[in-house]
Amino acid sequence: MRQFARPLLASLIVLAYAGTAHAGSYSVDNLTLFSATAATSPDDVLRQNAERFGLPASLNNLTLVKVQESITGKHYHYQQMLRGLPVDRAEIIVSIGKNGQLQKIFNETRYISDKVDANAVNQLYNKSQISEEQALDLGWNNMKVQHPLVAAPGTELVWVPTKDGVQLARKVTIEAQMPTGGFVQYLNAHDGTVIDSYTTSLPRKGERSLAARANVGGPVLDRSAATRSVSRQGGHTAAAAQTVASGINGSGYAFDPDPRTVLNTDALTDTSAASAFDAAYSTKTLRDLTVTSGVYKLSGPFVNIKNIEAPATAPSTTTNGVWTAKRGNNAFDDTNVYFHLDQSQRYIQSLGFTGTKSIINRPLDVDTDGVNGDDNSHYSGGAAGSDYLAFGHGCVNDSEDADVILHEYGHGIQANIDSSWTGGDTGAMGEGFGDYWAASYSYSTPNGKIYHPEWAFSWDGHGACWAGRMLNRTDAKYNASKTYAAHQSVTEGGVTFQSDELWSAPLYQAMVALIAAGKPRSNIDQIILEAHFGLGSNVKMPAMATAIVNAAKTLFPSDLSYANTFQAKFEAQNILSSVPGGPTIAEVESNNTTATAQALTTAGTTVNGTLSASTDVDYYKVVLPAGKTLTVTMTPNASSDYDLELYNSSGTKVASSVKGAGQADSVSYGTAGTLYAKVIYYSGGTGATNGKYTLLANW
């Protein structure tokens, strides 16, 4: 049965009796949480839940590809395969606690019927396919690659899930310097058309889409020449292994966290006199530097300053380990970035993420003067160990602001925990988490609580350069029927906000409330980081929020204030439901028309329904009060594809959702009046055994 996260009161009750809890589970989107459920092995867990998730009893379509450890347990990642090829981003992850209890299952696999399998055979063996070279050419031209490569392009054959099954595709990965940046493209393996794409370059602002690249003018580089060039240079590859600490420290100036916050003033601008910044500098220890033939380099076990992107700027060095440069000199950008990133990694390790639980515990390559000089910065993803950060110098140098530095590091944190961090609401959540990670640190500095703590990018933003973002947008509300990409302008209930702010707000508000209650920042950050483990692609905000609340319960079972505070802040933004769980009822036929629709009178009602035949339709009636938003979620059985539509009293369709087999459809609508939710058959089973679904109505 699909439900939203338990409300505050229910959470308290469950935790109060955790010692005698009965085995159970509940699901939020693609995440299922378990309680009091022993797990002998991940394979046994999957066999026991095979029918639930539409898997064959033999599990012969799954391959264990990764075992990841976190503070609370281990996470077993299984890749779904079809005819020897991966179903892209289709994985199921089993998380087992150190106590031997099943924690959660994250499922993005797709049900493969005999019909879908037969179609896959036809695509694979009977239909013509574009070659790897053709795919690379198409992907190159789609991106309009105009800047040097940072890695050689690649392509592989994969299956892309569709509503009706799977589509054979060439997955093309091209990583170039900004502003071209990196993209993953899925090209139809038969005709080369774009099925889907996503960016691997994650900037602090601005749209990153293949469609935006298509509108760019100017000449495109020659692919063969560009590939030969990057191959001769060896491409960009960070050191994947941990470097042993040298024990040799240096020193240099830094802004901690930024000059405005240090001086507690709005008066500073990018054009202020150099002397206006003198009191803002701190002399910082630069730990574990590399010294070669008497030359000190800003290269250590966690950060490696180097030139990656244009403009070509060699990293600064000294002969005595002392950097004295101030703003306006690239050497200051180098020391400021090195200090903040090195400190952030050491902080992460202090939270317990060390050894097999590490997050970016290696030298991460960083270009403090990149992005072609633009007023932007980005994290560039890609294969493990080839990711890097680059900071631009337009207007205020991005590398002068710890908020920008730590925001971009936040992208790296997420990508290194969850290599499938794409789709769903991950765009907005990635930006929101980056803003939070920066805010968590800034808030801990001497003036962090008094100088605009609600600002993200306190120095680089909120001035002539750009507007920055806010961390206190509690008026931003979540709509379950929408998907939140990065940097979107969203209007909900007459309120306009950035999608990123919808996610940063509850994280930041929870942190402020917990610190005010005497809780250490370290515990709060540990909870949020731990929650990222055991997740895959297409995560939406309710599932991520549920994972955070659950991580708080697991890490601090005797202190409910952590879980309760997070729960309350997510409820305040409508990300989690604040409606007490309503009744579970059976569908009552005949409900095949609006005139005979089954009335749902209590918010939070769950209906156990059945489509008796492919021609059967089921209507449910809700009279929505003023000021409320109706959210209806319909979850079919794992092997069936049913769709969901919402109509007003005039018979006009006001919302619909048409996801594939086994996937939940959700619609939302906020205008008061009589509404009708309609469940319709698309494909799969019917009848008392094979036609089951659940429908949850909340308002």
Side-chain angles (χ1 to χ4, degrees):
M1 179 177 67
R2 175 186 172 81
Q3 299 175 334
F4 288 100
R6 284 171 285 188
L8 182 59
L9 179 60
S11 299
L12 285 168
I13 293 171
V14 169
L15 283 169
Y17 293 95
T20 57
H22 297 290
S25 66
Y26 69 99
S27 298
V28 179
D29 296 326
N30 43 14
L31 178 67
T32 302
L33 299 179
F34 294 81
S35 61
T37 303
T40 55
S41 74
D43 281 0
D44 284 344
V45 167
L46 290 175
R47 289 189 190 97
Q48 292 162 11
N49 289 275
E51 183 178 0
R52 178 178 195 167
F53 295 115
L55 302 171
S58 63
L59 306 180
N60 61 359
N61 66 338
L62 299 179
T63 299
L64 181 64
V65 293
K66 181 171 68 173
V67 179
Q68 193 175 25
E69 188 175 0
S70 69
I71 293 174
T72 65
K74 287 188 176 180
H75 313 274
Y76 300 84
H77 294 242
Y78 291 81
Q79 171 65 52
Q80 184 178 11
M81 306 294 290
L82 176 60
R83 297 289 167 177
L85 298 175
V87 183
D88 196 76
R89 292 179 286 183
E91 58 183 338
I92 189 164
I93 306 166
V94 178
S95 297
I96 299 176
K98 291 182 176 179
N99 59 0
Q101 297 288 301
L102 177 60
Q103 293 179 335
K104 60 190 177 187
I105 296 177
F106 180 89
N107 180 46
E108 266 295 296
T109 61
R110 296 295 186 265
Y111 175 72
I112 304 298
S113 65
D114 291 342
K115 180 180 178 181
V116 171
D117 183 61
N119 179 263
V121 170
N122 184 52
Q123 291 187 64
L124 194 57
Y125 300 112
N126 299 328
K127 296 184 70 174
S128 61
Q129 300 173 21
I130 61 173
S131 67
E132 291 186 2
E133 289 297 306
Q134 288 173 317
L136 289 170
D137 280 338
L138 288 167
W140 190 269
N141 291 323
N142 291 340
M143 278 178 61
K144 292 191 173 180
V145 179
Q146 297 171 315
H147 301 89
L149 294 173
V150 295
T155 181
E156 63 175 320
L157 209 55
V158 300
W159 299 106
V160 174
T162 66
K163 176 173 174 57
D164 294 310
V166 291
Q167 172 62 54
L168 190 63
R170 288 281 183 188
K171 181 179 180 180
V172 176
T173 302
I174 300 174
E175 296 178 65
Q177 295 181 17
M178 289 285 273
T180 296
F183 282 93
V184 172
Q185 302 175 54
Y186 298 91
L187 307 182
N188 187 306
H190 309 302
D191 60 21
T193 56
V194 178
I195 302 170
D196 191 14
S197 66
Y198 64 86
T199 180
T200 58
S201 298
L202 305 174
R204 62 166 170 76
K205 66 175 183 177
E207 181 184 11
R208 289 291 303 156
S209 68
L210 206 59
R213 287 299 307 164
N215 295 324
V216 173
V220 175
L221 297 181
D222 178 78
R223 180 173 70 84
S224 297
T227 303
R228 286 195 300 271
S229 177
V230 75
S231 297
R232 284 195 301 269
Q233 297 168 11
H236 157 72
T237 304
Q242 182 176 354
T243 299
V244 176
S246 68
I248 303 173
N249 297 335
S251 66
Y253 287 136
F255 289 144
D256 190 16
D258 65 80
R260 280 181 177 166
T261 302
V262 172
L263 301 179
N264 192 23
T265 178
D266 292 341
L268 281 181
T269 70
D270 187 43
T271 57
S272 294
S275 59
F277 295 86
D278 285 345
Y281 294 102
S282 299
T283 300
K284 299 294 186 181
T285 299
L286 307 173
R287 300 175 65 178
D288 293 318
L289 303 182
T290 298
V291 182
T292 306
S293 301
V295 176
Y296 289 72
K297 300 177 181 178
L298 292 169
S299 179
F302 314 123
V303 186
N304 180 37
I305 305 295
K306 67 181 296 187
N307 177 64
I308 303 170
E309 299 186 341
T313 307
S316 60
T317 60
T318 71
T319 56
N320 61 358
V322 178
W323 276 258
T324 59
K326 297 183 177 180
R327 75 180 301 259
N329 186 315
N330 280 355
F332 172 74
D333 298 306
D334 291 348
T335 58
N336 198 50
V337 169
Y338 187 93
F339 166 73
H340 283 293
L341 291 181
D342 178 80
Q343 178 179 251
S344 190
Q345 174 55 219
R346 293 176 193 270
Y347 170 66
I348 290 171
Q349 293 183 34
S350 75
L351 302 180
F353 297 98
T354 60
T356 56
K357 301 180 288 293
S358 294
I359 308 169
I360 333 183
N361 184 358
R362 55 179 168 82
L364 179 66
D365 282 354
V366 185
D367 189 342
T368 68
D369 186 12
V371 203
N372 206 36
D374 288 353
D375 182 20
N376 213 340
S377 296
H378 74 111
Y379 168 77
S380 179
S386 68
D387 54 347
Y388 68 93
L389 299 179
F391 299 93
H393 278 194
C395 205
V396 168
N397 289 3
D398 282 15
S399 42
E400 293 181 8
D401 190 342
D403 279 2
V404 181
I405 297 166
L406 297 178
H407 168 93
E408 297 303 337
Y409 200 55
H411 287 306
I413 290 169
Q414 288 182 314
N416 279 267
I417 297 175
D418 180 359
S419 59
S420 299
W421 186 257
T422 59
D425 295 331
T426 59
M429 288 194 295
E431 300 300 328
F433 169 76
D435 289 358
Y436 167 80
W437 190 249
S440 170
Y441 177 68
S442 291
Y443 200 75
S444 73
T445 62
N447 287 339
K449 295 180 179 66
I450 61 175
Y451 181 77
H452 293 293
E454 77 283 2
W455 280 4
F457 312 111
S458 301
W459 171 226
D460 180 63
H462 305 279
C465 298
W466 71 297
R469 287 193 288 269
M470 304 297 289
L471 296 154
N472 62 347
R473 292 303 305 271
T474 55
D475 56 344
K477 305 300 180 183
Y478 183 77
N479 184 329
S481 65
K482 292 183 178 179
T483 298
Y484 294 87
H487 309 315
Q488 280 183 319
S489 177
V490 180
T491 299
E492 197 68 49
V495 176
T496 299
F497 54 91
Q498 288 193 53
S499 56
D500 317 335
E501 296 169 331
L502 176 60
W503 186 247
S504 63
L507 300 183
Y508 172 77
Q509 296 299 324
M511 178 193 74
V512 170
L514 286 165
I515 288 176
K519 306 302 179 183
R521 167 197 172 216
S522 56
N523 288 356
I524 303 162
D525 288 341
Q526 184 189 61
I527 289 167
I528 294 173
L529 292 181
E530 175 68 18
H532 283 79
F533 286 86
L535 303 178
S537 64
N538 294 317
V539 183
K540 298 202 74 180
M541 290 188 190
M544 188 74 242
T546 301
I548 290 173
V549 173
N550 192 58
K553 295 174 184 177
T554 304
L555 286 167
F556 301 99
S558 61
D559 188 347
L560 303 186
S561 61
Y562 291 102
N564 293 342
T565 300
F566 276 114
Q567 177 81 28
K569 299 307 179 182
F570 287 127
E571 287 179 2
Q573 316 263 175
N574 290 349
I575 293 171
L576 293 182
S577 174
S578 58
V579 178
T584 298
I585 63 175
E587 176 201 355
V588 178
E589 289 279 8
S590 169
N591 59 345
N592 297 338
T593 67
T594 56
T596 60
Q598 182 173 353
L600 306 181
T601 58
T602 304
T605 296
T606 298
V607 182
N608 289 322
T610 302
L611 288 183
S612 58
S614 60
T615 55
D616 186 18
V617 296
D618 294 337
Y619 281 92
Y620 299 92
K621 175 183 175 181
V622 172
V623 179
L624 184 66
K628 296 289 186 178
T629 296
L630 172 66
T631 298
V632 181
T633 302
M634 184 278 301
T635 305
N637 60 82
S639 62
S640 298
D641 181 0
Y642 306 151
D643 294 330
L644 182 63
E645 298 175 343
L646 191 65
Y647 293 84
N648 63 19
S649 57
S650 301
T652 301
K653 185 192 299 185
V654 294
S656 64
S657 179
V658 290
K659 292 186 177 179
Q663 293 186 281
D665 287 297
S666 185
V667 294
S668 291
Y669 191 67
T671 301
T674 301
L675 299 169
Y676 298 93
K678 180 183 180 182
V679 180
I680 56 178
Y681 175 90
Y682 184 81
S683 67
T686 59
T689 301
N690 300 317
K692 295 178 180 179
Y693 67 87
T694 61
L695 182 138
L696 173 63
N698 258 326
W699 62 89

